[in-house]
PDB file of all heavy atoms in Angstrom:
ATOM      1  N   TYR A 277     -10.228   2.140  -4.122  1.00 96.00           N
ATOM      2  CA  TYR A 277      -9.267   3.221  -3.909  1.00 96.00           C
ATOM      3  C   TYR A 277      -8.108   3.125  -4.888  1.00 96.00           C
ATOM      4  O   TYR A 277      -7.700   2.035  -5.271  1.00 96.00           O
ATOM      5  CB  TYR A 277      -8.665   3.142  -2.501  1.00 96.00           C
ATOM      6  CG  TYR A 277      -9.688   3.174  -1.402  1.00 96.00           C
ATOM      7  CD1 TYR A 277     -10.162   1.991  -0.840  1.00 96.00           C
ATOM      8  CD2 TYR A 277     -10.183   4.375  -0.923  1.00 96.00           C
ATOM      9  CE1 TYR A 277     -11.103   2.010   0.170  1.00 96.00           C
ATOM     10  CE2 TYR A 277     -11.125   4.402   0.090  1.00 96.00           C
ATOM     11  CZ  TYR A 277     -11.583   3.213   0.637  1.00 96.00           C
ATOM     12  OH  TYR A 277     -12.517   3.234   1.626  1.00 96.00           O
ATOM     13  N   VAL A 278      -7.581   4.279  -5.238  1.00 95.00           N
ATOM     14  CA  VAL A 278      -6.311   4.364  -5.939  1.00 95.00           C
ATOM     15  C   VAL A 278      -5.427   5.259  -5.071  1.00 95.00           C
ATOM     16  O   VAL A 278      -5.720   6.440  -4.883  1.00 95.00           O
ATOM     17  CB  VAL A 278      -6.462   4.957  -7.353  1.00 95.00           C
ATOM     18  CG1 VAL A 278      -5.088   5.114  -8.008  1.00 95.00           C
ATOM     19  CG2 VAL A 278      -7.367   4.088  -8.209  1.00 95.00           C
ATOM     20  N   ILE A 279      -4.390   4.657  -4.516  1.00 96.00           N
ATOM     21  CA  ILE A 279      -3.426   5.413  -3.708  1.00 96.00           C
ATOM     22  C   ILE A 279      -2.301   5.792  -4.663  1.00 96.00           C
ATOM     23  O   ILE A 279      -1.563   4.940  -5.141  1.00 96.00           O
ATOM     24  CB  ILE A 279      -2.908   4.581  -2.526  1.00 96.00           C
ATOM     25  CG1 ILE A 279      -4.081   4.042  -1.705  1.00 96.00           C
ATOM     26  CG2 ILE A 279      -1.975   5.423  -1.653  1.00 96.00           C
ATOM     27  CD1 ILE A 279      -3.694   2.991  -0.682  1.00 96.00           C
ATOM     28  N   ASP A 280      -2.211   7.068  -4.950  1.00 94.00           N
ATOM     29  CA  ASP A 280      -1.311   7.569  -5.986  1.00 94.00           C
ATOM     30  C   ASP A 280      -0.219   8.447  -5.371  1.00 94.00           C
ATOM     31  O   ASP A 280      -0.330   8.896  -4.235  1.00 94.00           O
ATOM     32  CB  ASP A 280      -2.127   8.377  -7.000  1.00 94.00           C
ATOM     33  CG  ASP A 280      -1.443   8.549  -8.334  1.00 94.00           C
ATOM     34  OD1 ASP A 280      -0.313   8.051  -8.511  1.00 94.00           O
ATOM     35  OD2 ASP A 280      -2.043   9.199  -9.211  1.00 94.00           O
ATOM     36  N   HIS A 281       0.817   8.679  -6.135  1.00 94.00           N
ATOM     37  CA  HIS A 281       1.942   9.542  -5.740  1.00 94.00           C
ATOM     38  C   HIS A 281       2.699   9.017  -4.523  1.00 94.00           C
ATOM     39  O   HIS A 281       3.227   9.799  -3.729  1.00 94.00           O
ATOM     40  CB  HIS A 281       1.482  10.985  -5.510  1.00 94.00           C
ATOM     41  CG  HIS A 281       0.775  11.565  -6.691  1.00 94.00           C
ATOM     42  ND1 HIS A 281       1.415  11.850  -7.874  1.00 94.00           N
ATOM     43  CD2 HIS A 281      -0.533  11.868  -6.875  1.00 94.00           C
ATOM     44  CE1 HIS A 281       0.532  12.328  -8.729  1.00 94.00           C
ATOM     45  NE2 HIS A 281      -0.651  12.343  -8.169  1.00 94.00           N
ATOM     46  N   ILE A 282       2.753   7.702  -4.383  1.00 96.00           N
ATOM     47  CA  ILE A 282       3.585   7.095  -3.348  1.00 96.00           C
ATOM     48  C   ILE A 282       5.028   7.186  -3.850  1.00 96.00           C
ATOM     49  O   ILE A 282       5.286   6.820  -5.004  1.00 96.00           O
ATOM     50  CB  ILE A 282       3.204   5.620  -3.118  1.00 96.00           C
ATOM     51  CG1 ILE A 282       1.726   5.494  -2.730  1.00 96.00           C
ATOM     52  CG2 ILE A 282       4.105   4.979  -2.067  1.00 96.00           C
ATOM     53  CD1 ILE A 282       1.209   4.059  -2.770  1.00 96.00           C
ATOM     54  N   PRO A 283       5.968   7.666  -3.044  1.00 95.00           N
ATOM     55  CA  PRO A 283       7.347   7.713  -3.525  1.00 95.00           C
ATOM     56  C   PRO A 283       7.812   6.332  -3.990  1.00 95.00           C
ATOM     57  O   PRO A 283       7.497   5.316  -3.370  1.00 95.00           O
ATOM     58  CB  PRO A 283       8.142   8.164  -2.304  1.00 95.00           C
ATOM     59  CG  PRO A 283       7.151   8.908  -1.472  1.00 95.00           C
ATOM     60  CD  PRO A 283       5.837   8.205  -1.691  1.00 95.00           C
ATOM     61  N   ALA A 284       8.552   6.309  -5.097  1.00 95.00           N
ATOM     62  CA  ALA A 284       9.041   5.043  -5.657  1.00 95.00           C
ATOM     63  C   ALA A 284       9.783   4.256  -4.579  1.00 95.00           C
ATOM     64  O   ALA A 284      10.609   4.795  -3.853  1.00 95.00           O
ATOM     65  CB  ALA A 284       9.953   5.308  -6.848  1.00 95.00           C
ATOM     66  N   GLY A 285       9.431   2.986  -4.463  1.00 95.00           N
ATOM     67  CA  GLY A 285      10.061   2.110  -3.486  1.00 95.00           C
ATOM     68  C   GLY A 285       9.310   1.992  -2.174  1.00 95.00           C
ATOM     69  O   GLY A 285       9.626   1.132  -1.355  1.00 95.00           O
ATOM     70  N   LYS A 286       8.295   2.825  -1.941  1.00 96.00           N
ATOM     71  CA  LYS A 286       7.550   2.767  -0.678  1.00 96.00           C
ATOM     72  C   LYS A 286       6.189   2.082  -0.815  1.00 96.00           C
ATOM     73  O   LYS A 286       5.480   1.902   0.160  1.00 96.00           O
ATOM     74  CB  LYS A 286       7.375   4.167  -0.094  1.00 96.00           C
ATOM     75  CG  LYS A 286       8.693   4.757   0.369  1.00 96.00           C
ATOM     76  CD  LYS A 286       8.481   5.951   1.242  1.00 96.00           C
ATOM     77  CE  LYS A 286       9.830   6.436   1.768  1.00 96.00           C
ATOM     78  NZ  LYS A 286       9.666   7.496   2.742  1.00 96.00           N
ATOM     79  N   GLY A 287       5.828   1.689  -2.027  1.00 96.00           N
ATOM     80  CA  GLY A 287       4.538   1.050  -2.253  1.00 96.00           C
ATOM     81  C   GLY A 287       4.364  -0.244  -1.476  1.00 96.00           C
ATOM     82  O   GLY A 287       3.299  -0.507  -0.911  1.00 96.00           O
ATOM     83  N   MET A 288       5.413  -1.063  -1.421  1.00 96.00           N
ATOM     84  CA  MET A 288       5.319  -2.334  -0.684  1.00 96.00           C
ATOM     85  C   MET A 288       5.174  -2.085   0.811  1.00 96.00           C
ATOM     86  O   MET A 288       4.484  -2.838   1.496  1.00 96.00           O
ATOM     87  CB  MET A 288       6.528  -3.224  -0.965  1.00 96.00           C
ATOM     88  CG  MET A 288       6.476  -3.902  -2.316  1.00 96.00           C
ATOM     89  SD  MET A 288       4.964  -4.849  -2.634  1.00 96.00           S
ATOM     90  CE  MET A 288       5.077  -6.129  -1.407  1.00 96.00           C
ATOM     91  N   ARG A 289       5.799  -1.048   1.333  1.00 94.00           N
ATOM     92  CA  ARG A 289       5.658  -0.725   2.765  1.00 94.00           C
ATOM     93  C   ARG A 289       4.212  -0.330   3.067  1.00 94.00           C
ATOM     94  O   ARG A 289       3.640  -0.750   4.067  1.00 94.00           O
ATOM     95  CB  ARG A 289       6.630   0.398   3.146  1.00 94.00           C
ATOM     96  CG  ARG A 289       6.503   0.861   4.571  1.00 94.00           C
ATOM     97  CD  ARG A 289       7.195  -0.081   5.551  1.00 94.00           C
ATOM     98  NE  ARG A 289       7.169   0.515   6.881  1.00 94.00           N
ATOM     99  CZ  ARG A 289       6.588  -0.056   7.927  1.00 94.00           C
ATOM    100  NH1 ARG A 289       6.042  -1.243   7.819  1.00 94.00           N
ATOM    101  NH2 ARG A 289       6.564   0.545   9.089  1.00 94.00           N
ATOM    102  N   VAL A 290       3.600   0.478   2.197  1.00 96.00           N
ATOM    103  CA  VAL A 290       2.188   0.841   2.365  1.00 96.00           C
ATOM    104  C   VAL A 290       1.322  -0.418   2.303  1.00 96.00           C
ATOM    105  O   VAL A 290       0.435  -0.620   3.135  1.00 96.00           O
ATOM    106  CB  VAL A 290       1.743   1.872   1.298  1.00 96.00           C
ATOM    107  CG1 VAL A 290       0.238   2.098   1.350  1.00 96.00           C
ATOM    108  CG2 VAL A 290       2.500   3.180   1.474  1.00 96.00           C
ATOM    109  N   TYR A 291       1.598  -1.285   1.347  1.00 95.00           N
ATOM    110  CA  TYR A 291       0.876  -2.557   1.187  1.00 95.00           C
ATOM    111  C   TYR A 291       0.949  -3.385   2.475  1.00 95.00           C
ATOM    112  O   TYR A 291      -0.056  -3.910   2.950  1.00 95.00           O
ATOM    113  CB  TYR A 291       1.486  -3.316   0.006  1.00 95.00           C
ATOM    114  CG  TYR A 291       0.886  -4.666  -0.279  1.00 95.00           C
ATOM    115  CD1 TYR A 291      -0.246  -4.798  -1.082  1.00 95.00           C
ATOM    116  CD2 TYR A 291       1.452  -5.821   0.244  1.00 95.00           C
ATOM    117  CE1 TYR A 291      -0.788  -6.041  -1.357  1.00 95.00           C
ATOM    118  CE2 TYR A 291       0.919  -7.071  -0.029  1.00 95.00           C
ATOM    119  CZ  TYR A 291      -0.205  -7.176  -0.822  1.00 95.00           C
ATOM    120  OH  TYR A 291      -0.738  -8.414  -1.087  1.00 95.00           O
ATOM    121  N   GLU A 292       2.139  -3.488   3.046  1.00 93.00           N
ATOM    122  CA  GLU A 292       2.334  -4.285   4.267  1.00 93.00           C
ATOM    123  C   GLU A 292       1.644  -3.654   5.474  1.00 93.00           C
ATOM    124  O   GLU A 292       0.968  -4.348   6.241  1.00 93.00           O
ATOM    125  CB  GLU A 292       3.824  -4.446   4.555  1.00 93.00           C
ATOM    126  CG  GLU A 292       4.535  -5.317   3.548  1.00 93.00           C
ATOM    127  CD  GLU A 292       6.050  -5.185   3.611  1.00 93.00           C
ATOM    128  OE1 GLU A 292       6.566  -4.372   4.413  1.00 93.00           O
ATOM    129  OE2 GLU A 292       6.720  -5.898   2.839  1.00 93.00           O
ATOM    130  N   VAL A 293       1.797  -2.348   5.656  1.00 91.00           N
ATOM    131  CA  VAL A 293       1.225  -1.676   6.822  1.00 91.00           C
ATOM    132  C   VAL A 293      -0.307  -1.712   6.787  1.00 91.00           C
ATOM    133  O   VAL A 293      -0.955  -1.854   7.819  1.00 91.00           O
ATOM    134  CB  VAL A 293       1.756  -0.231   6.924  1.00 91.00           C
ATOM    135  CG1 VAL A 293       0.985   0.585   7.931  1.00 91.00           C
ATOM    136  CG2 VAL A 293       3.226  -0.236   7.286  1.00 91.00           C
ATOM    137  N   LEU A 294      -0.884  -1.621   5.598  1.00 93.00           N
ATOM    138  CA  LEU A 294      -2.346  -1.685   5.474  1.00 93.00           C
ATOM    139  C   LEU A 294      -2.869  -3.121   5.496  1.00 93.00           C
ATOM    140  O   LEU A 294      -4.075  -3.340   5.463  1.00 93.00           O
ATOM    141  CB  LEU A 294      -2.803  -0.995   4.182  1.00 93.00           C
ATOM    142  CG  LEU A 294      -2.611   0.511   4.123  1.00 93.00           C
ATOM    143  CD1 LEU A 294      -3.060   1.047   2.766  1.00 93.00           C
ATOM    144  CD2 LEU A 294      -3.356   1.213   5.247  1.00 93.00           C
ATOM    145  N   LYS A 295      -1.953  -4.101   5.533  1.00 92.00           N
ATOM    146  CA  LYS A 295      -2.306  -5.530   5.567  1.00 92.00           C
ATOM    147  C   LYS A 295      -3.197  -5.918   4.389  1.00 92.00           C
ATOM    148  O   LYS A 295      -4.192  -6.623   4.529  1.00 92.00           O
ATOM    149  CB  LYS A 295      -2.957  -5.883   6.899  1.00 92.00           C
ATOM    150  CG  LYS A 295      -2.038  -5.643   8.078  1.00 92.00           C
ATOM    151  CD  LYS A 295      -2.701  -5.986   9.385  1.00 92.00           C
ATOM    152  CE  LYS A 295      -1.687  -5.907  10.486  1.00 92.00           C
ATOM    153  NZ  LYS A 295      -1.794  -4.866  11.407  1.00 92.00           N
ATOM    154  N   LEU A 296      -2.796  -5.471   3.203  1.00 94.00           N
ATOM    155  CA  LEU A 296      -3.590  -5.738   1.996  1.00 94.00           C
ATOM    156  C   LEU A 296      -3.462  -7.170   1.509  1.00 94.00           C
ATOM    157  O   LEU A 296      -4.295  -7.629   0.731  1.00 94.00           O
ATOM    158  CB  LEU A 296      -3.192  -4.761   0.889  1.00 94.00           C
ATOM    159  CG  LEU A 296      -3.425  -3.276   1.217  1.00 94.00           C
ATOM    160  CD1 LEU A 296      -2.947  -2.402   0.061  1.00 94.00           C
ATOM    161  CD2 LEU A 296      -4.883  -3.005   1.536  1.00 94.00           C
ATOM    162  N   SER A 297      -2.460  -7.905   1.968  1.00 91.00           N
ATOM    163  CA  SER A 297      -2.294  -9.291   1.528  1.00 91.00           C
ATOM    164  C   SER A 297      -3.430 -10.182   2.031  1.00 91.00           C
ATOM    165  O   SER A 297      -3.692 -11.220   1.454  1.00 91.00           O
ATOM    166  CB  SER A 297      -0.951  -9.849   1.989  1.00 91.00           C
ATOM    167  OG  SER A 297      -0.900  -9.900   3.402  1.00 91.00           O
ATOM    168  N   GLY A 298      -4.121  -9.763   3.072  1.00 90.00           N
ATOM    169  CA  GLY A 298      -5.209 -10.557   3.629  1.00 90.00           C
ATOM    170  C   GLY A 298      -6.555 -10.330   2.965  1.00 90.00           C
ATOM    171  O   GLY A 298      -7.547 -10.951   3.344  1.00 90.00           O
ATOM    172  N   LEU A 299      -6.606  -9.455   1.977  1.00 90.00           N
ATOM    173  CA  LEU A 299      -7.874  -9.154   1.319  1.00 90.00           C
ATOM    174  C   LEU A 299      -8.209 -10.196   0.256  1.00 90.00           C
ATOM    175  O   LEU A 299      -7.323 -10.785  -0.348  1.00 90.00           O
ATOM    176  CB  LEU A 299      -7.819  -7.774   0.649  1.00 90.00           C
ATOM    177  CG  LEU A 299      -7.602  -6.574   1.563  1.00 90.00           C
ATOM    178  CD1 LEU A 299      -7.532  -5.303   0.732  1.00 90.00           C
ATOM    179  CD2 LEU A 299      -8.712  -6.475   2.587  1.00 90.00           C
ATOM    180  N   SER A 300      -9.498 -10.376   0.011  1.00 90.00           N
ATOM    181  CA  SER A 300      -9.923 -11.297  -1.043  1.00 90.00           C
ATOM    182  C   SER A 300     -10.248 -10.550  -2.344  1.00 90.00           C
ATOM    183  O   SER A 300     -10.517 -11.174  -3.358  1.00 90.00           O
ATOM    184  CB  SER A 300     -11.144 -12.102  -0.586  1.00 90.00           C
ATOM    185  OG  SER A 300     -12.210 -11.223  -0.255  1.00 90.00           O
TER     186      SER A 300
END
């Protein structure tokens, strides 16, 4: 996936809510 057009500064919030840090 490419999640595009996220307002500047909200990318980390999307990253956290989707729990992407746990992916390999």
Side-chain angles (χ1 to χ4, degrees):
Y277 303 95
V278 176
I279 306 169
D280 200 0
H281 305 292
I282 302 168
K286 292 195 176 187
M288 284 306 295
R289 176 79 173 120
V290 172
Y291 178 86
E292 291 165 357
V293 168
L294 292 178
K295 299 180 172 110
L296 299 178
S297 64
L299 298 178
S300 59

